[in-house]
Amino acid sequence: MSSQLAASCIECDTVESKYNEAWTQFTIPSKDNDLDQCNKYRSLSSNDSMEDDKCYPQYFDNSETEKCNTEDFIFRDKEVTISNEFGIYCSDEWKLTLVGTMNNVGQFFGIPIGGFISDRYGRRTSLALGGLLAGIVGIIRSVSPTYLFFLAFEFLDNFSCSVLYSTCFIVGIELVGPKKRVIACSLITIFYAIGEIILALVAKYYQNWRIMLRILYIPALVHILYFWILPESVRWLLSQGKEEEAKNTLKRAAKVNKRKLSDHSLDKLILANRSKLASSTDGKFPIKEAFSNYFWRIANCSFCWIVNVLVYYGISLNAVLLDGDKYNNFMFIALVEIPGFLLPYVTMDRFGRRYSLFGYMLISGLCCLGTIFLSSDDFYTKLTLFLIGKMTITASFQVLYFFTSEIFPTNIRNSLLAFCSMMGRFGSMIAPQTPLLAKYDKNAPAILFATTAIASGCLALFFPETTNLILPTTMQEVNEIGLKKQPKTISTPM
């Protein structure tokens, strides 16, 4: 949300001055391979002699700097951002970081509440309500009159929409059988990367943050139609005892797919579900029992989420390694995620969830570790490790979503997925702060990412294997995961 700017020099500056002028070499110090944005060299000329031509190196002391007047900034491009519109420069740049923090705080509180709504009132309700509210809040945010107004609606935006991704994922795995689960969700999640590419294109051609927000958020209002066009998850309906609605959804699906579905098969499904619910001692929302019975599983899952989010965003911070247009770089990083989303389709059914998760986190950690032994001039090798690390941590994220969705029962599946995702927000809060470690040791961030990724990968081996198993409906079925061999085919329309 910030623009590239540089200090202005009153002795040399004219109305025709551009960002890069020859005189900047002796009037403005360099910082991080660019012009210092907030300081300039002290001028040796007096204000009384400003009419004379003083734009020469001998009139500046390059051993001493002074702060710039924020009214004299020159911008590299014509972007309109909250930085230059609300005057957030130099000593106030912490306000830009606070926007990112507020983004994560909104997700931290929104994810568990959205998960509760999804499990209690349905996947469709969660998607339609969350998307609609996010659209409204985003449009309001585009007319923010002040920084504080923008900050408040940044929180509300992420509070509203943070559950959309996980709920879409849950709907994907609940609408198909075990053998189609991986490919269905892989195709769904690819659109996340496509959305990032669209975001970069909009930001590139509409470099005004207000216009960009309106272009991105107005289509979100279409979510209200989900109440009528999106079928509710059949598994959720059955877990809530809504048998007629479940049967109607299956009949509609069979008609659309031109498949025959006999009444006998539906009756068999309903009877099996009644028996399952009758033998279950769970309530409709046994969240307390779940935390009591599966504490270590939830703890391991939460740690895995924290590490995945930390490494995912931590590696993304290294995008500065890529030269060129920042919008193209963002699209390039998004494109790398597409094979990352597809890799689990190749490995998860062949090697299992546990070994896939372990392998992807191990490779990502080793890529981070490898950068420690490379010199700063070895750009292409670092770039290769960066891309492999980003791709494998994306694949790890995909597997982790599957694991978290498959090891908990239907009636609290989204709530526990939301809880683990909420814990992952600690990782996204920590990631932007990791560059501070480099002040003490330039390799400290890479060591942190590597050690946590490898450690969490090893702990992933303690999860129960869920490959090709039917999704558990009750806590009793969850207890049986890993203890006995479940059937790998399904005898119902589900």
Side-chain angles (χ1 to χ4, degrees):
M1 282 290 194
S2 63
S3 295
Q4 195 68 36
L5 55 91
S8 171
C9 178
I10 195 170
E11 291 84 359
C12 301
D13 193 25
T14 66
V15 291
E16 290 84 15
S17 293
K18 298 181 180 180
Y19 182 85
N20 289 307
E21 296 281 357
W23 47 259
T24 60
Q25 298 179 12
F26 55 82
T27 60
I28 301 174
S30 61
K31 183 178 181 181
D32 298 330
N33 299 320
D34 205 343
L35 299 176
D36 193 317
Q37 297 186 353
C38 303
N39 299 286
K40 60 183 179 180
Y41 290 127
R42 187 175 70 87
S43 174
L44 299 177
S45 61
S46 64
N47 292 335
D48 297 334
S49 60
M50 283 174 55
E51 287 78 7
D52 300 327
D53 188 3
K54 301 295 183 181
C55 191
Y56 293 100
Q58 60 266 31
Y59 291 105
F60 296 89
D61 182 0
N62 60 10
S63 64
E64 187 176 345
T65 61
E66 57 187 12
K67 291 189 176 298
C68 305
N69 186 340
T70 57
E71 297 179 358
D72 295 331
F73 284 132
I74 297 175
F75 293 91
R76 171 179 288 177
D77 45 47
K78 297 181 179 180
E79 284 183 326
V80 178
T81 68
I82 63 168
S83 176
N84 55 38
E85 186 164 326
F86 296 140
I88 304 173
Y89 312 121
C90 301
S91 59
D92 287 334
E93 283 189 346
W94 60 270
K95 293 181 179 179
L96 298 179
T97 305
L98 185 60
V99 173
T101 301
M102 195 60 65
N103 178 296
N104 286 295
V105 172
Q107 293 184 56
F108 185 84
F109 288 104
I111 286 173
I113 293 175
F116 170 79
I117 293 173
S118 176
D119 283 337
R120 199 65 181 265
Y121 302 104
R123 317 311 192 202
R124 178 175 55 197
T125 301
S126 179
L127 283 174
L129 193 61
L132 177 63
L133 289 176
I136 294 172
V137 171
I139 294 170
I140 295 175
R141 184 155 62 102
S142 73
V143 297
S144 300
T146 64
Y147 168 76
L148 289 178
F149 189 96
F150 178 91
L151 196 66
F153 276 82
E154 176 74 18
F155 170 84
L156 293 175
D157 179 6
N158 288 275
F159 180 87
S160 303
C161 72
S162 55
V163 77
L164 294 180
Y165 184 92
S166 59
T167 304
C168 284
F169 194 92
I170 291 292
V171 170
I173 68 170
E174 289 184 343
L175 285 178
V176 298
K179 291 185 178 180
K180 303 295 183 182
R181 199 179 296 158
V182 178
I183 183 61
C185 290
S186 295
L187 292 175
I188 289 173
T189 50
I190 284 175
F191 285 91
Y192 180 86
I194 293 175
E196 290 180 308
I197 295 170
I198 294 173
L199 168 62
L201 289 171
V202 172
K204 182 174 183 176
Y205 293 105
Y206 298 91
Q207 297 184 10
N208 182 310
W209 68 273
R210 296 183 186 274
I211 296 175
M212 184 182 72
L213 285 179
R214 291 163 194 164
I215 292 173
L216 295 173
Y217 280 90
I218 287 176
L221 300 178
V222 176
H223 279 89
I224 194 173
L225 298 179
Y226 279 24
F227 282 113
W228 296 278
I229 65 175
L230 183 69
E232 183 56 86
S233 165
V234 175
R235 290 189 178 277
W236 181 82
L237 290 171
L238 291 175
S239 73
Q240 303 298 308
K242 299 184 178 183
E243 299 172 352
E244 286 304 315
E245 192 174 346
K247 289 170 65 175
N248 291 335
T249 301
L250 287 172
K251 288 179 179 178
R252 192 161 63 249
K255 182 178 181 181
V256 170
N257 291 288
K258 297 179 180 179
R259 296 290 185 92
K260 292 183 178 181
L261 184 61
S262 66
D263 291 336
H264 175 72
S265 297
L266 287 174
D267 292 338
K268 186 178 179 181
L269 172 65
I270 297 300
L271 289 174
N273 183 69
R274 287 177 182 175
S275 175
K276 190 181 297 183
L277 294 179
S279 62
S280 172
T281 58
D282 308 347
K284 284 195 173 183
F285 192 69
I287 193 71
K288 293 182 179 179
E289 293 85 345
F291 273 94
S292 176
N293 296 343
Y294 312 122
F295 175 80
W296 290 111
R297 183 179 296 184
I298 295 172
N300 191 6
C301 200
S302 298
F303 178 68
C304 200
W305 269 88
I306 293 172
V307 172
N308 267 266
V309 174
L310 170 65
V311 178
Y312 179 88
Y313 288 110
I315 291 179
S316 296
L317 290 174
N318 290 325
V320 292
L321 292 174
L322 302 173
D323 294 325
D325 184 270
K326 61 184 178 181
Y327 302 106
N328 293 337
N329 290 344
F330 188 87
M331 285 187 279
F332 188 51
I333 294 168
L335 285 171
V336 171
E337 294 184 9
I338 293 179
F341 285 128
L342 290 175
L343 273 176
Y345 175 65
V346 179
T347 63
M348 283 176 63
D349 287 340
R350 182 172 299 179
F351 302 108
R353 276 43 165 171
R354 290 184 303 170
Y355 289 113
S356 294
L357 185 58
F358 165 74
Y360 291 135
M361 297 194 76
L362 177 65
I363 294 172
S364 185
L366 291 176
C367 287
C368 294
L369 200 61
T371 61
I372 296 173
F373 305 101
L374 298 175
S375 66
S376 57
D377 297 328
D378 203 346
F379 170 76
Y380 289 105
T381 306
K382 278 192 171 183
L383 175 61
T384 301
L385 290 176
F386 164 76
L387 294 176
I388 295 174
K390 182 65 186 295
M391 181 178 64
T392 50
I393 199 63
T394 300
S396 173
F397 236 139
Q398 179 84 325
V399 179
L400 184 58
Y401 262 101
F402 273 100
F403 242 140
T404 314
S405 304
E406 293 175 340
I407 59 177
F408 300 117
T410 300
N411 50 358
I412 52 173
R413 180 173 294 125
N414 211 358
S415 293
L416 291 178
L417 172 61
F419 175 82
C420 294
S421 180
M422 178 190 74
M423 298 303 293
R425 295 315 103 194
F426 286 111
S428 58
M429 293 177 192
I430 296 171
Q433 312 305 323
T434 52
L436 297 176
L437 295 175
K439 294 184 177 181
Y440 303 97
D441 186 332
K442 65 178 183 179
N443 294 321
I447 293 173
L448 173 64
F449 300 147
T451 53
T452 53
I454 294 172
S456 183
C458 293
L459 289 174
L461 296 174
F462 290 94
F463 284 119
E465 186 55 67
T466 60
T467 301
N468 285 335
L469 298 184
I470 299 173
L471 288 175
T473 300
T474 65
M475 292 178 65
Q476 180 180 347
E477 291 180 340
V478 171
N479 295 333
E480 295 170 354
I481 295 178
L483 298 180
K484 70 176 183 178
K485 188 174 181 180
Q486 290 194 5
K488 294 194 176 184
T489 58
I490 44 180
S491 57
T492 69
M494 296 291 292

